[in-house]
Amino acid sequence: MTLSIALFAVLAIAVAASFLARNRARGLRGGGVRLNSLPNYHAAFVGLWAAIPALLFLAVWAPVQTGLIEQTALASPAGQQLPDFDLQRDSILSEAREIATGERSVGFNPEASELAPIFAAAAGRYALAGSAVAILIALGGAFFAMRRVNVDFRARSGVEKLVMALLVGASLIAILTTLGIVLSLLFESLRFFNLVSPVEFLFGSTWSPQTAIRADQAGSSGAFGSIPLFWGTIFIGAIIAMVVAIPLGLMSAIFLTQYAPRRARTWLKPILEILAGIPTVVYGYFAALTVAPAVRDLGISIGISSASSESALAAGLVMGIMIIPFVSSMADDSIAAVPQAMRDGSLALGATKSETIKKVVLPAALPGVVGGVLLAVSRAIGETMIVVMAAGLAANLTANPFESVTTVTTQIVQLLTGDQEFDSAKTLAAFALGLALFIITLILNLIALRVVRKYREAYE
Amino acid sequence: MNSLSSASRWTDGSMRKRVAKRYAAERRFRLFGLAAIALSVAFLAFLLVNMTWKGASGFTRAEVKIALDFPRSDLIVDPAALRGGDAERTLADAGLENVLDQAAVAQFGEGGADLFGGASARELASQLIAEPDLLTRRAELWLPLSSKGDVAAKTDGDPALEQLLAKAEVRRSFNSSFLTSSDATDASVVGVWGALKGSFLTILVTMALAFPIGVLAALYLEEFAARNRWTDMIEVSINNLAAVPSIIFGLLGLAVFLNFMHLPRSAPLVGGLTLALMTMPVIVIAGRNAIKSVPPSIRDAALGVGASKMQVVFHHVLPLALPGILTGTIIGMARALGETAPLLMIGMRAFIASPPQSITEPASVLPVQIFLWSDEVDRGFVEKTSAAIIVLLVFMLLMNGLAIYLRNKFERRW
């Protein structure tokens, strides 16, 4: 926690330094000379120089420090006696860390309370060192910048260079995030594929990730064939949901663009968009509480004995409704982009409005509609809460919509919300599933964007 | 001659039939469109009405009139002791709940004790603290029911309890503690305040990070960046990030913020960081559109009077684009507010009974709270879950309403 004090100290130094710089610059102007830059620019220049390097250092130091603290604890006599087995050692270490920061008072493992004081001491030492360096950097930066406050100094261009660096940095965060996603998924997935062969993962048809209470337990490895999960995901997201969403979304878009009076359109469009804005946990609850029992009753009444209270149909129906606005707004855009001349031509030949739409407008708008549908599929595949709450956990390879199926996202949630051991195949499997999901949705999005873009260029 | 024959063809029987058929198809098609949109709107209405119907009763609680004879009961508490700070503790230690159970059995017979639970004892304690001289006499008080009793009083629950309640005087009152208390294992005392506070803190962190970063990135890409391979890469990754499933961001947060950086688990800090990475692309895209719509003449005018490129952007373009950026930000924030899956990944599904005091303390957020309550077996949680959903939806509607209001107020045609 000393690091947050250092953070405030750095900010205080920056503010103080910029005040000093402003006064100094004003003092220079008092002599009747014309400054190159306004005093505020001098102040900003000094403040930024004091704050940015020190803050960068703190941002780098914070994660480095936790690693260093752990190293120290492991190097101590008590730390060297820790069991070699990774799971246990990690849990003891994290417990000791929590005791040291006061998050809990007594550890589950006796070793943890022994290690805690070492942790606390190391944490204090490194935090103090880090804070001292950060404050020195801030003071150094302030001093360096302050020396340049002068009549001729171009503080404005200096500030603008710094701001430019900030702008570039901000836009790099997107790349860093993408990189972070790819690397973390890849890294953990590789660890998973060390334990389970990729062939089994990709082509196996049994999914039963078992909870191993002890590492040496029989059958702790489980079966990690992901075919049933992908089937369940496609069944719910790409089949049932789309059967609901495509006709409703497309017809809504056609009605709104071609038939609805202007006033109705201004009201109906935002109302449809509310469907996309409702949190998915609400849909999930609705699906589980209201739709699923109704679907089960329906299944039983038409004589399907295996109808389950958690069914693919319930989840898919509700997801389809959630997706309607995506399909309809994409269809809306591409229908609006069809040139009026094509429509007029068709109408002039005597076609009715619906014939024009079916034979001229829709074929012309098709690429955009297809792109929208692909985006909607990618969204449905990645959707989590509805399927977690309504689709069930049983990995069934079935085409019966009344039965319970499970999906990739459901399994990720299941795998990661139980125990928190990060070396078991069970938890690592979640990252492998995540990687597969990421790649699939990425490909779908890229295709969709390409289709949409290509089509748009055709009319420009 | 020719025109005449074609004209006569229009009155021809088969032609008429064909035209009638085509017009029928036209009407049918139109009707399909109307039906599609009516179905969607009807579903939305059904969802909202259904939730409101189920959740409205979560804001009320059933109360029962019960006679309590304190001087004759086992409760031995000096009324003077109730003026101190830990009066509630004193009462609990003196066995207030037992006294209540005995009174209930005396009044309602066997099984009457089931009618009262944690909420009843809590309410009784606060009434006693407000009026200590109740302890010296026999009093008739309105007390809230236990979770089971509440379900029996409002809908149909345990038949035995319903029979008991048929004899009792029951009324409904507004359950203010639903808005002020936190999660609990007893459905009659749960509330949304802890989750709301967690949501606010999380959104605060998200906004503090995503808004400046998103705006700066949008400014760079729209105003300064040269078109080269680097900016192409940035653009592609921003567009991709906007379409990445939210649960993947949860995995990222888990791997980077928790496992690598060892930030505190289930804290609004980590939740906010994760959601900020998720929201930032949305803000960048909205921001770029807003910046693009600022006409070039304004830039040219500012450049013409000697402003630097940076001054043009920060003094003229940004203020003019800000309403548009804000609208996009609010919509992004509303989405982040309703997000559940990534937060489950970073451990925000723990049972947390007290509201968080800072961004590093374990917290829950409203959508996760809804998810957790939806899993509870106790039937009393059904209406609480729906009530929490109402609270969440109200916030979403407020935020979206604000975005629409801002858009209408500041929308400008150049």
Side-chain angles (χ1 to χ4, degrees), chain A residues 96 198 212 238 294 296 317 386 404:
Chain A
R296 187 198 50 209
L317 276 178
I386 296 178
S404 153

Side-chain angles (χ1 to χ4, degrees), chain B residues 211-414:
Chain B
F211 182 65
I213 293 176
V215 172
L216 291 181
L219 282 178
Y220 176 74
L221 290 176
E222 205 53 49
E223 295 285 331
F224 298 102
R227 303 263 332 153
N228 57 26
R229 195 185 290 172
W230 269 106
T231 47
D232 271 355
M233 244 173 86
I234 295 175
E235 265 201 70
V236 168
S237 52
I238 284 176
N239 286 334
N240 274 337
L241 282 182
V244 165
S246 62
I247 194 167
I248 301 282
F249 285 95
L251 290 175
L252 172 75
L254 176 65
V256 173
F257 300 134
L258 293 187
N259 287 353
F260 179 64
M261 294 192 189
H262 294 294
L263 292 175
R265 181 169 286 277
S266 30
L269 175 66
V270 181
L273 277 169
T274 310
L275 292 181
L277 293 182
M278 211 185 86
T279 324
M280 190 208 51
V282 179
I283 297 178
V284 174
I285 292 171
R288 289 186 69 173
N289 285 333
I291 292 166
K292 216 181 278 175
S293 69
V294 175
S297 59
I298 289 184
R299 295 183 185 84
D300 296 343
L303 284 172
V305 294
S308 70
K309 182 77 182 152
M310 200 62 84
Q311 284 172 324
V312 171
V313 168
F314 279 93
H315 295 179
H316 301 280
V317 176
L318 185 58
L320 289 171
L322 212 52
I325 301 178
L326 275 183
T327 316
T329 307
I330 293 170
I331 289 170
M333 287 299 139
R335 242 168 74 183
L337 179 73
E339 202 55 71
T340 321
L343 300 180
L344 290 182
M345 295 292 94
I346 55 161
M348 277 197 149
R349 58 177 288 150
F351 174 77
I352 285 140
S354 59
Q357 300 301 322
S358 75
I359 57 169
T360 52
E361 272 180 38
S364 184
V365 294
L366 204 46
V368 177
Q369 188 75 78
I370 290 167
F371 176 62
L372 292 178
W373 283 351
S374 74
D375 252 4
E376 295 279 349
V377 187
D378 186 342
R379 277 188 58 189
F381 274 106
V382 173
E383 62 174 28
K384 303 290 179 190
T385 313
S386 305
I389 284 177
I390 293 177
V391 174
L392 180 63
L393 287 180
V394 165
F395 272 101
M396 308 289 297
L397 286 180
L398 282 181
M399 285 175 91
N400 283 316
L402 183 68
I404 291 171
Y405 171 77
L406 279 179
R407 184 157 58 197
N408 290 343
K409 187 169 161 82
F410 292 104
E411 192 174 47
R412 223 195 244 202
R413 300 232 172 267
W414 304 92

Side-chain angles (χ1 to χ4, degrees), chain A residues 346-364:
Chain A
S346 165
L347 291 172
L349 287 174
T352 63
K353 228 172 173 179
S354 67
E355 282 161 355
T356 307
I357 292 166
K358 279 187 274 191
K359 305 246 163 74
V360 177
V361 177
L362 273 189

Side-chain angles (χ1 to χ4, degrees), chain A residues 41 97 156 160 167-168 171 174 178 180 255 259 277 285-286 321 350 352-355 389 416-417 434 445, chain B residues 22 26 32-34 36 43 47 216 220 224 234 237-238 243 248 251-252 262 308 310-311 349 374 382 389 396:
Chain A
Y41 278 108
R97 189 179 299 121
R156 192 180 85 185
E160 288 183 351
L167 291 179
V168 175
S171 50
T178 310
F255 186 79
Y259 290 110
Y285 185 64
F286 182 72
I321 296 202
T352 63
K353 228 172 173 179
S354 67
E355 282 161 355
M389 292 166 88
L416 284 181
T417 48
N445 289 331
Chain B
R22 282 175 62 200
E26 166 76 22
F32 277 146
L34 188 63
F43 180 86
L47 175 81
L216 291 181
Y220 176 74
F224 298 102
I234 295 175
S237 52
I238 284 176
I248 301 282
L251 290 175
L252 172 75
H262 294 294
S308 70
M310 200 62 84
Q311 284 172 324
R349 58 177 288 150
S374 74
V382 173
I389 284 177
M396 308 289 297

Side-chain angles (χ1 to χ4, degrees), chain B residues 5-163:
Chain B
S5 74
S6 79
S8 69
R9 266 162 58 194
W10 279 97
T11 50
D12 199 6
S14 68
M15 183 66 180
R16 247 194 225 161
K17 239 189 219 162
R18 238 172 69 195
V19 168
K21 213 167 141 193
R22 282 175 62 200
Y23 281 162
E26 166 76 22
R27 275 194 300 276
R28 227 170 20 241
F29 190 72
R30 199 190 156 124
L31 211 65
F32 277 146
L34 188 63
I37 199 148
L39 210 63
S40 314
V41 174
F43 180 86
L44 179 69
F46 179 60
L47 175 81
L48 294 180
V49 168
N50 188 288
M51 285 300 148
T52 318
W53 188 258
K54 285 206 175 94
S57 61
F59 292 102
T60 65
R61 60 184 187 191
E63 295 182 345
V64 155
K65 201 176 209 176
I66 181 168
L68 285 158
D69 196 355
F70 291 106
R72 282 184 162 178
S73 72
D74 297 340
L75 191 72
I76 304 165
V77 177
D78 181 14
L82 293 185
R83 299 189 212 287
D86 42 308
E88 276 181 42
R89 184 84 173 276
T90 319
L91 282 169
D93 287 346
L96 190 64
E97 237 179 306
N98 284 338
V99 174
L100 186 58
D101 285 352
Q102 282 164 16
V105 171
Q107 189 170 342
F108 300 107
E110 205 56 39
D114 277 353
L115 284 176
F116 297 96
S120 333
R122 202 190 267 187
E123 173 70 22
L124 178 59
S126 69
Q127 286 194 19
L128 285 179
I129 291 164
E131 232 182 308
D133 56 305
L134 281 175
L135 281 173
T136 58
R137 58 188 168 86
R138 185 175 184 282
E140 289 210 320
L141 298 174
W142 286 98
L143 290 182
L145 292 164
S146 69
S147 170
K148 259 167 98 179
D150 205 53
V151 172
K154 284 174 184 166
T155 51
D156 37 61
D158 191 352
L161 285 183
E162 273 191 22
Q163 271 181 5

Side-chain angles (χ1 to χ4, degrees), chain A residues 255-292:
Chain A
F255 186 79
L256 282 181
T257 50
Q258 310 293 318
Y259 290 110
R262 234 189 134 78
R263 279 180 65 103
R265 186 177 148 82
T266 55
W267 275 102
L268 285 172
K269 222 179 150 171
I271 288 179
L272 265 194
E273 273 156 15
I274 293 179
L275 278 176
I278 289 179
T280 53
V281 68
V282 177
Y283 281 115
Y285 185 64
F286 182 72
L289 197 77
T290 310
V291 180

